[in-house]
Amino acid sequence: MSLNALKPSLLFAETAPSSRRRLRLLLQVASLLVALFSLSAVAQEQQAKLAELQAELKARQATLAANKADADELRDALKKSELEIAATAKALNNTTTQLADNRRQQANLEAEQGELRKAILQQQSMLASQLRSAFMAGNYDYAKMLFYQDEASSFERVLTYYQYLSKARAKEIDGFRENVARLIKVNQQLEEKASTLAKLLDEQKAQQNVLVARQDDRAQTLAKLNKKIASDAAKVDELRQNEEALVRAIEDARRRAESAKSELAGLSGFKGKLLKPASGRVRNLFGSRRQGQVRWKGIIIEGAEGSSVRAVSHGRVLYSDWLRGFGLVTVIDHGKGYMSVYGHNQALLKQAGDRVADGETIALVGQSGGQNYPNLYFEIRHKGKALSPAGWLDL
């Protein structure tokens, strides 16, 4: 075979593998393009889903933000309502105290009035007897003198004409005059007390109407707020934030107590002997689970709304204000790191810095802080650590 005859075969043999490589390359490129196209579609689909998810998350976050803003706004409204209730309840408590004082003063004046009338009648009878004897001895018009006995003031004027009869009678006459003058003054005071009592009763009625209106407004606000934090997670978060707020307030109070160099002796010698802070059924919740991992740090005493909250021991008020979740709160320093905490009050009757005695009324039982029924929330803490109140109170 000639060389020329072999060239086409050699050429084909040389070019065939190259064509096959190019074909495979083309196929690989085509496959790659298809894969890239598919990946691009998937990427676009994933990107679309991501965008949709981001939009959903953004919308959800916006909703949560709006809900949070509403809840914060409702908390502010609740705080305002409870502070208004506190002001009205405090005024009502003052009016009730004034009414009790007024009635007590009236009772004392009425008792004094009765004693004066009795004394005046006795003095009048005695002096009339003395004058009867004098008139009979001196031939005076006895019937005329008896006529003046019906009017004490007229009788007293007639008696002045006969003061010269004896020094003893003059002394009796002076006593008679003093009693008559005092009786007139007591009668005037009783009239004034009766007028003041009527005004106080009107004021009390008006304050009670305002209190009812404030309480209705609070109930509506509380219902709206509870809807905003209806989920368990929201409730747990709310309780945690409330507890953190209380801890901060107590820590601030504790630091102030340390800086004030208190000379109070503490509570270590009163374990099991402390006064019960309010009347009512005690729910010993200390240490039990409240919601999620949040546990109770104190006890609840179910009492009558507006009844007295008393200091368990003497001390100094460190904190007296509204606190989220606990409402109107009073914190008392007892010295040596011991503090007592009183929450959910309707009104606070003591201010920060006030000294209080054992059993002194410091607040009124209420349902502030979002409570649904009147109660007192009570804690005892030592250097910031919550202690079980049941072991300290004389229950």
Side-chain angles (χ1 to χ4, degrees):
M1 182 178 294
S2 66
L3 183 60
N4 291 334
L6 291 173
K7 285 183 179 179
S9 299
L10 291 173
L11 180 62
F12 179 81
E14 290 175 357
T15 58
S18 178
S19 297
R20 285 197 296 271
R21 284 196 297 272
R22 284 197 299 271
L23 180 60
R24 284 196 297 269
L25 182 59
L26 288 173
L27 290 174
Q28 289 173 356
V29 170
S31 298
L32 182 59
L33 290 174
V34 170
L36 289 173
F37 180 83
S38 299
L39 288 174
S40 178
V42 172
Q44 289 178 359
E45 183 179 354
Q46 292 297 326
Q47 189 175 359
K49 288 183 178 180
L50 180 60
E52 183 179 352
L53 180 60
Q54 289 175 336
E56 182 182 346
L57 289 174
K58 186 175 181 181
R60 186 182 301 172
Q61 290 172 355
T63 302
L64 291 173
N67 286 341
K68 185 177 185 300
D70 288 343
D72 289 341
E73 184 178 354
L74 288 170
R75 287 190 195 93
D76 290 341
L78 182 65
K79 176 182 178 180
K80 183 178 180 182
S81 294
E82 292 183 345
L83 288 175
E84 289 172 347
I85 287 173
T88 305
K90 188 174 182 179
L92 182 58
N93 182 70
N94 290 337
T95 302
T96 302
T97 301
Q98 291 174 16
L99 280 168
D101 289 342
N102 183 288
R103 291 190 176 105
R104 185 165 51 252
Q105 290 171 10
Q106 283 197 60
N108 292 336
L109 288 170
E110 287 169 354
E112 185 179 0
Q113 183 187 56
E115 292 296 324
L116 286 169
R117 285 174 175 170
K118 183 179 179 180
I120 287 171
L121 287 174
Q122 290 175 347
Q123 289 173 323
Q124 187 173 347
S125 177
M126 182 183 64
L127 289 171
S129 178
Q130 292 176 357
L131 288 174
R132 186 185 304 117
S133 299
F135 291 156
M136 290 178 68
N139 296 319
Y140 291 103
D141 186 357
Y142 175 66
K144 184 176 180 181
M145 291 301 298
L146 286 180
F147 175 77
Y148 286 104
Q149 290 189 49
D150 293 335
E151 293 290 339
S153 58
S154 299
F155 188 44
E156 187 271 334
R157 286 197 298 271
V158 173
L159 288 175
T160 57
Y161 294 105
Y162 301 98
Q163 290 183 359
Y164 65 91
L165 295 176
S166 69
K167 291 183 179 181
R169 279 200 297 271
K171 184 178 180 181
E172 293 294 335
I173 291 169
D174 288 340
F176 177 79
R177 283 175 168 173
E178 290 175 1
N179 284 339
V180 170
R182 178 58 187 164
L183 179 60
I184 292 172
K185 187 175 181 179
V186 166
N187 289 336
Q188 290 174 343
Q189 289 178 330
L190 280 170
E191 290 178 1
E192 292 172 359
K193 294 297 179 185
S195 176
T196 302
L197 180 63
K199 292 178 181 178
L200 286 172
L201 287 171
D202 289 340
E203 185 176 353
Q204 184 187 52
K205 185 177 180 180
Q207 289 169 341
Q208 287 172 335
N209 291 336
V210 171
L211 183 60
V212 169
R214 297 295 187 200
Q215 288 172 334
D216 288 343
D217 176 63
R218 175 194 174 276
Q220 294 177 15
T221 303
L222 180 59
K224 292 178 182 178
L225 179 59
N226 287 337
K227 287 182 180 179
K228 292 294 181 182
I229 55 173
S231 70
D232 291 342
K235 289 178 181 177
V236 170
D237 184 61
E238 182 78 6
L239 289 173
R240 283 175 177 165
Q241 291 188 52
N242 294 343
E243 187 172 333
E244 288 171 2
L246 178 62
V247 169
R248 284 195 300 271
I250 291 174
E251 284 301 308
D252 290 343
R254 189 168 64 87
R255 282 193 291 271
R256 287 195 297 271
E258 290 175 351
S259 63
K261 296 181 180 179
S262 173
E263 298 179 356
L264 296 166
L267 300 176
S268 58
F270 298 94
K271 194 167 185 178
K273 303 176 183 178
L274 294 179
L275 298 171
K276 186 179 177 182
S279 300
R281 185 174 76 91
V282 177
R283 295 174 59 200
N284 185 13
L285 302 169
F286 181 84
S288 61
R289 193 181 302 276
R290 187 172 183 180
Q291 187 86 31
Q293 297 302 313
V294 179
R295 296 183 178 275
W296 287 93
K297 302 297 191 300
I299 63 173
I300 291 287
I301 301 177
E302 299 175 354
E305 189 164 23
S307 58
S308 296
V309 174
R310 299 175 291 271
V312 295
S313 184
H314 66 283
R316 185 168 61 92
V317 177
L318 288 180
Y319 185 90
S320 181
D321 205 346
W322 190 93
L323 195 62
R324 63 172 291 173
F326 295 92
L328 291 156
V329 177
T330 290
V331 178
I332 297 178
D333 172 34
H334 301 286
K336 307 297 182 182
Y338 287 95
M339 293 183 183
S340 54
V341 182
Y342 312 75
H344 301 168
N345 298 294
Q346 184 186 55
L348 304 178
L349 306 182
K350 299 295 181 180
Q351 298 178 344
D354 289 349
R355 292 273 180 172
V356 295
D358 297 0
E360 185 174 356
T361 299
I362 58 173
L364 304 177
V365 173
Q367 47 186 327
S368 62
Q371 298 299 296
N372 294 314
Y373 63 95
N375 67 82
L376 171 68
Y377 176 74
F378 178 75
E379 286 187 9
I380 292 180
R381 292 190 176 236
H382 182 235
K383 296 183 178 179
K385 181 183 178 181
L387 307 176
S388 175
W392 289 83
L393 299 176
D394 182 15
L395 299 175

